[in-house]
Amino acid sequence: MVVKSICCLGAGYVGGPTCSVIALKCPEIKVTVVDKSKERIAQWNSDKLPIYEPGLDEVVKASRGKNLFFSDDCDAAIVEADLIFISVNTPTKTFGNGKGRAPDLKFVEGAARMIANVAKSNKIVVEKSTVPVNAAESVMKILKANQRPGVSYQILSNPEFLAEGTAINDLLNADRVLIGGEETAAGEAAIEELCKIYEHWIPRKKILTTNTWSSELSKLAANAMLAQRISSINSLSAVCEATGADITEVARAVGLDSRIGPKFLQASIGGSCFQKDILNLVYICECLNLPHVAAYWQSVIDMNQHQKHRFTAKVIESLFNTVSGKNICILGFAFKKNTGDTRESAAIYVSKTLIDEGASIKIYDPKVEKPQIYEDLKYVGVTDEQFQRHVTICNDAYLATKECHAVVLCTEWDEFVTLDYEKIYDQMMKPAHMFDGRKILDHNNLLRIGFHVETIGSRLGQPFKNRRYSINPQVV
Ligand SMILES: NC(=O)C1=CN([C@@H]2O[C@H](COP(=O)(O)OP(=O)(O)OC[C@H]3O[C@@H](n4cnc5c(N)ncnc54)[C@H](O)[C@@H]3O)[C@@H](O)[C@H]2O)C=CC1
Ligand SMILES: O=C(O)[C@H]1O[C@H](OP(=O)(O)OP(=O)(O)OC[C@H]2O[C@@H](n3ccc(=O)[nH]c3=O)[C@H](O)[C@@H]2O)[C@H](O)[C@@H](O)[C@@H]1O
């Protein structure tokens, strides 16, 4: 089979950018990205794409209408395609067996059933979604049980490693592409077809082929190990705050060891897309009767949660243990800069806690709009009444900080670094508090202006005061 037509089920943060790059790099292949959400497809066909991602507009515009199409006619795209990516969401289950831990595979199963129902010719079906190990077996069972005579399938695992905010660059310059498949002649032929697509722009030596299960597990392993680094540095940030060490200095000193490396050692307020995937791994370990392994990875999640609690507790404690009736500005609502995605964002937890404590919050994020913030807060239990009375969404940072007692910086947007903090200080209530949850601001400048500044992993302006411990207990 020579792949002439590709279909992608799921036009989200992964399906959209990934297939746009494939279309750009493989002009001879027709790429159709479909979604069951008509609204999302209409946005992909409009001037305002449904997701914000630097460089995405240009890539989409270069191919849309030529060899890149966005459609809600899933069946037609499946029928036409030689190769189908399943790029649907795999959220954590919210009910039933495995609630709060296991991934909900209903969308993957739904995608497999859609393919089985309409396919009239042989297909290579590619798992792009992040799934548990052995998920390909379930997909194959569904396809085989509903197979039309003369139609055969090959299932490949091709997990995606892009990070939001840098997706286009990550896709164009991937560290590696991973393809897992059956260790049979037909499996190897299918792997080869997918390799040929990536080889349009990825050097062959960066395309790694494995068996299906290694590929599925490698995706969970990569995310788990990235999350583990963040949890490790965040755990040490607490030690820094208690001792006068500075986490930036510690991270630099540690990261210069070439065995450790400098990346992913930025302490912050925690919160990320990783949680669902690590929970997925924990659940697999529990099901495999590996309780110690499960507990090990669970602790990575726990540390991430702890960091959010610790930071929010610090905000409240610094504001004289009460935020009731106070105005607090939340700068940034996305889970990281350069994306409008708020899934698992620490800002949601911080906002919810401050609202529950009676604060009024004013939120500004350059890319997250009011309906999304409303949905996120509602999901964690903020009532409509609380939203009306205690939440204001602002269109710029100066409006959001006006007459506030404190600013809590939750997302590291570049524009927050260059704000006029003298102006912000002048229009705030005094004492004016600044909580930098991302360690991006010039703290000395803020202290000079008059702010009370708190951040993660270092004590500002009071390095050795209130020391709560001694390595020699007699000295205390
Ligand atoms: N967001 C990210 O940065 C990354 C996500 N992943 C994984 O990729 C997968 C997709 O993630 P996102 O793109 O972020 O999710 P998303 O929620 O942005 O998009 C998924 C889309 O699939 C659609 N969908 C669900 N069932 C469908 C069906 N049967 N037919 C057609 N469309 C259907 C939904 O309507 C939705 O628009 C997940 O497994 C995720 O863990 C992997 C790497 C990076
Ligand atoms: O499978 C996924 O969903 C993706 O998850 C992450 O990508 P993403 O969540 O988009 O973004 P990251 O850059 O990894 O950041 C995750 C969170 O960790 C935080 N982070 C990151 C790095 C760091 O040093 N410190 C830190 O606190 C970020 O601010 C963010 O809140 C991985 O980096 C991707 O490789 C993976 O494909």
Side-chain angles (χ1 to χ4, degrees), residues 224-237 264 266 270 278 297-305 307:
M225 294 187 74
L226 289 170
Q228 181 203 46
R229 273 175 84 91
I230 301 174
S231 286
S232 297
I233 203 74
N234 282 344
S235 77
L236 293 167
S237 74
F264 256 72
Q266 174 69 48
I278 323 296
W297 291 111
Q298 180 64 47
S299 72
V300 170
I301 301 172
D302 294 345
M303 182 51 64
N304 187 42
Q305 291 301 105
Q307 188 76 345

Short mmCIF file of all heavy atoms in Angstrom, two decimals, residues 224-237 264 266 270 278 297-305 307:
data_model
loop_
_atom_site.label_atom_id
_atom_site.label_comp_id
_atom_site.label_asym_id
_atom_site.label_seq_id
_atom_site.Cartn_x
_atom_site.Cartn_y
_atom_site.Cartn_z
N ALA A 224 6.08 10.50 32.58
CA ALA A 224 6.30 10.26 34.01
C ALA A 224 7.66 10.80 34.43
O ALA A 224 7.79 11.42 35.49
CB ALA A 224 6.19 8.76 34.30
N MET A 225 8.66 10.59 33.59
CA MET A 225 10.01 11.03 33.98
C MET A 225 10.15 12.54 33.89
O MET A 225 10.87 13.15 34.70
CB MET A 225 11.06 10.29 33.17
CG MET A 225 11.02 8.81 33.55
SD MET A 225 12.27 7.76 32.88
CE MET A 225 13.68 8.23 33.85
N LEU A 226 9.44 13.17 32.96
CA LEU A 226 9.45 14.64 32.92
C LEU A 226 8.75 15.19 34.18
O LEU A 226 9.26 16.12 34.83
CB LEU A 226 8.73 15.14 31.66
CG LEU A 226 9.47 14.92 30.34
CD1 LEU A 226 8.56 15.22 29.16
CD2 LEU A 226 10.72 15.78 30.28
N ALA A 227 7.62 14.60 34.51
CA ALA A 227 6.88 15.06 35.69
C ALA A 227 7.71 14.84 36.96
O ALA A 227 7.69 15.65 37.89
CB ALA A 227 5.56 14.31 35.79
N GLN A 228 8.44 13.73 36.97
CA GLN A 228 9.26 13.42 38.13
C GLN A 228 10.34 14.49 38.36
O GLN A 228 10.62 14.89 39.48
CB GLN A 228 9.93 12.06 37.90
CG GLN A 228 10.81 11.57 39.01
CD GLN A 228 11.81 10.58 38.47
OE1 GLN A 228 12.45 10.82 37.43
NE2 GLN A 228 11.95 9.46 39.14
N ARG A 229 10.91 15.00 37.27
CA ARG A 229 11.92 16.06 37.41
C ARG A 229 11.30 17.31 38.01
O ARG A 229 11.89 17.96 38.88
CB ARG A 229 12.51 16.42 36.03
CG ARG A 229 13.66 15.59 35.62
CD ARG A 229 14.08 15.94 34.22
NE ARG A 229 14.97 17.10 34.16
CZ ARG A 229 16.31 17.01 34.21
NH1 ARG A 229 16.89 15.84 34.31
NH2 ARG A 229 17.07 18.09 34.12
N ILE A 230 10.08 17.64 37.55
CA ILE A 230 9.44 18.85 38.08
C ILE A 230 9.09 18.64 39.55
O ILE A 230 9.32 19.52 40.38
CB ILE A 230 8.18 19.21 37.26
CG1 ILE A 230 8.55 19.42 35.80
CG2 ILE A 230 7.53 20.47 37.82
CD1 ILE A 230 7.37 19.65 34.89
N SER A 231 8.58 17.47 39.87
CA SER A 231 8.24 17.22 41.28
C SER A 231 9.51 17.24 42.14
O SER A 231 9.49 17.75 43.26
CB SER A 231 7.53 15.87 41.44
OG SER A 231 6.21 15.99 40.97
N SER A 232 10.60 16.73 41.60
CA SER A 232 11.86 16.72 42.37
C SER A 232 12.32 18.14 42.66
O SER A 232 12.66 18.48 43.79
CB SER A 232 12.95 15.98 41.60
OG SER A 232 12.59 14.64 41.42
N ILE A 233 12.32 18.98 41.62
CA ILE A 233 12.82 20.34 41.84
C ILE A 233 11.85 21.12 42.74
O ILE A 233 12.26 21.90 43.59
CB ILE A 233 13.10 21.06 40.49
CG1 ILE A 233 14.12 22.19 40.69
CG2 ILE A 233 11.86 21.62 39.84
CD1 ILE A 233 15.52 21.76 40.88
N ASN A 234 10.54 20.85 42.58
CA ASN A 234 9.57 21.53 43.43
C ASN A 234 9.72 21.09 44.89
O ASN A 234 9.57 21.89 45.81
CB ASN A 234 8.15 21.29 42.92
CG ASN A 234 7.83 22.17 41.71
OD1 ASN A 234 8.53 23.14 41.44
ND2 ASN A 234 6.78 21.83 40.99
N SER A 235 10.02 19.81 45.10
CA SER A 235 10.21 19.35 46.49
C SER A 235 11.40 20.07 47.10
O SER A 235 11.36 20.50 48.26
CB SER A 235 10.40 17.83 46.53
OG SER A 235 11.70 17.49 46.13
N LEU A 236 12.45 20.27 46.31
CA LEU A 236 13.64 20.95 46.82
C LEU A 236 13.39 22.44 47.03
O LEU A 236 14.03 23.08 47.86
CB LEU A 236 14.82 20.73 45.87
CG LEU A 236 15.30 19.27 45.82
CD1 LEU A 236 16.23 19.05 44.64
CD2 LEU A 236 15.98 18.87 47.12
N SER A 237 12.42 22.98 46.27
CA SER A 237 12.11 24.41 46.45
C SER A 237 11.59 24.66 47.87
O SER A 237 11.85 25.72 48.45
CB SER A 237 11.11 24.89 45.40
OG SER A 237 9.80 24.42 45.67
N PHE A 264 13.99 21.27 32.20
CA PHE A 264 12.92 20.77 33.07
C PHE A 264 13.30 20.79 34.54
O PHE A 264 12.97 19.87 35.30
CB PHE A 264 12.49 19.36 32.63
CG PHE A 264 11.18 19.41 31.89
CD1 PHE A 264 11.11 19.93 30.62
CD2 PHE A 264 10.01 19.00 32.49
CE1 PHE A 264 9.92 20.03 29.94
CE2 PHE A 264 8.80 19.10 31.83
CZ PHE A 264 8.77 19.62 30.55
N GLN A 266 12.81 23.84 36.26
CA GLN A 266 12.27 25.14 36.66
C GLN A 266 11.20 24.92 37.73
O GLN A 266 10.14 24.36 37.45
CB GLN A 266 11.67 25.81 35.42
CG GLN A 266 10.94 27.11 35.67
CD GLN A 266 11.88 28.24 36.07
OE1 GLN A 266 12.91 28.47 35.43
NE2 GLN A 266 11.54 28.92 37.15
N GLY A 270 3.40 24.39 40.03
CA GLY A 270 2.86 23.05 39.78
C GLY A 270 1.63 23.09 38.88
O GLY A 270 1.19 24.15 38.45
N ILE A 278 0.20 10.22 34.33
CA ILE A 278 0.87 9.53 35.46
C ILE A 278 -0.17 8.70 36.22
O ILE A 278 0.10 7.58 36.65
CB ILE A 278 1.58 10.50 36.43
CG1 ILE A 278 2.23 11.66 35.69
CG2 ILE A 278 2.58 9.75 37.31
CD1 ILE A 278 3.32 11.36 34.78
N TRP A 297 5.15 6.25 41.61
CA TRP A 297 4.68 7.25 40.64
C TRP A 297 3.57 8.11 41.24
O TRP A 297 3.45 9.30 40.91
CB TRP A 297 4.26 6.59 39.33
CG TRP A 297 5.45 6.05 38.60
CD1 TRP A 297 5.76 4.74 38.39
CD2 TRP A 297 6.54 6.81 38.04
NE1 TRP A 297 6.97 4.64 37.72
CE2 TRP A 297 7.47 5.89 37.50
CE3 TRP A 297 6.82 8.18 37.95
CZ2 TRP A 297 8.66 6.29 36.88
CZ3 TRP A 297 8.01 8.59 37.33
CH2 TRP A 297 8.89 7.65 36.80
N GLN A 298 2.78 7.54 42.14
CA GLN A 298 1.75 8.34 42.81
C GLN A 298 2.40 9.50 43.58
O GLN A 298 1.87 10.61 43.63
CB GLN A 298 0.93 7.45 43.76
CG GLN A 298 -0.17 8.19 44.52
CD GLN A 298 -1.27 8.74 43.62
OE1 GLN A 298 -1.77 8.05 42.75
NE2 GLN A 298 -1.64 10.00 43.83
N SER A 299 3.58 9.23 44.15
CA SER A 299 4.23 10.28 44.94
C SER A 299 4.64 11.47 44.05
O SER A 299 4.72 12.60 44.51
CB SER A 299 5.43 9.73 45.71
OG SER A 299 6.48 9.44 44.82
N VAL A 300 4.87 11.19 42.76
CA VAL A 300 5.21 12.28 41.84
C VAL A 300 3.99 13.20 41.68
O VAL A 300 4.10 14.43 41.68
CB VAL A 300 5.66 11.71 40.46
CG1 VAL A 300 5.77 12.81 39.41
CG2 VAL A 300 6.99 10.99 40.62
N ILE A 301 2.81 12.58 41.58
CA ILE A 301 1.58 13.37 41.47
C ILE A 301 1.33 14.13 42.78
O ILE A 301 0.99 15.31 42.78
CB ILE A 301 0.36 12.46 41.18
CG1 ILE A 301 0.58 11.68 39.89
CG2 ILE A 301 -0.94 13.26 41.13
CD1 ILE A 301 -0.48 10.62 39.63
N ASP A 302 1.53 13.42 43.89
CA ASP A 302 1.26 14.04 45.20
C ASP A 302 2.12 15.29 45.40
O ASP A 302 1.66 16.30 45.93
CB ASP A 302 1.51 13.04 46.34
CG ASP A 302 0.53 11.88 46.30
OD1 ASP A 302 -0.50 12.00 45.60
OD2 ASP A 302 0.80 10.85 46.96
N MET A 303 3.37 15.19 44.96
CA MET A 303 4.27 16.34 45.15
C MET A 303 3.79 17.53 44.31
O MET A 303 3.86 18.69 44.74
CB MET A 303 5.70 15.95 44.76
CG MET A 303 6.74 17.03 44.96
SD MET A 303 6.71 17.79 46.60
CE MET A 303 7.15 16.41 47.63
N ASN A 304 3.27 17.25 43.11
CA ASN A 304 2.74 18.32 42.26
C ASN A 304 1.53 18.99 42.93
O ASN A 304 1.42 20.22 42.94
CB ASN A 304 2.37 17.72 40.90
CG ASN A 304 1.96 18.79 39.90
OD1 ASN A 304 2.59 19.83 39.82
ND2 ASN A 304 0.90 18.54 39.17
N GLN A 305 0.68 18.17 43.52
CA GLN A 305 -0.48 18.72 44.24
C GLN A 305 -0.02 19.55 45.44
O GLN A 305 -0.52 20.64 45.69
CB GLN A 305 -1.39 17.58 44.76
CG GLN A 305 -2.11 16.81 43.68
CD GLN A 305 -3.00 17.70 42.84
OE1 GLN A 305 -2.67 18.03 41.72
NE2 GLN A 305 -4.11 18.15 43.38
N GLN A 307 2.66 21.13 45.90
CA GLN A 307 3.25 22.42 45.53
C GLN A 307 2.16 23.48 45.35
O GLN A 307 2.31 24.63 45.77
CB GLN A 307 4.05 22.25 44.22
CG GLN A 307 4.87 23.47 43.83
CD GLN A 307 6.13 23.63 44.66
OE1 GLN A 307 6.29 23.02 45.71
NE2 GLN A 307 7.03 24.48 44.20
#
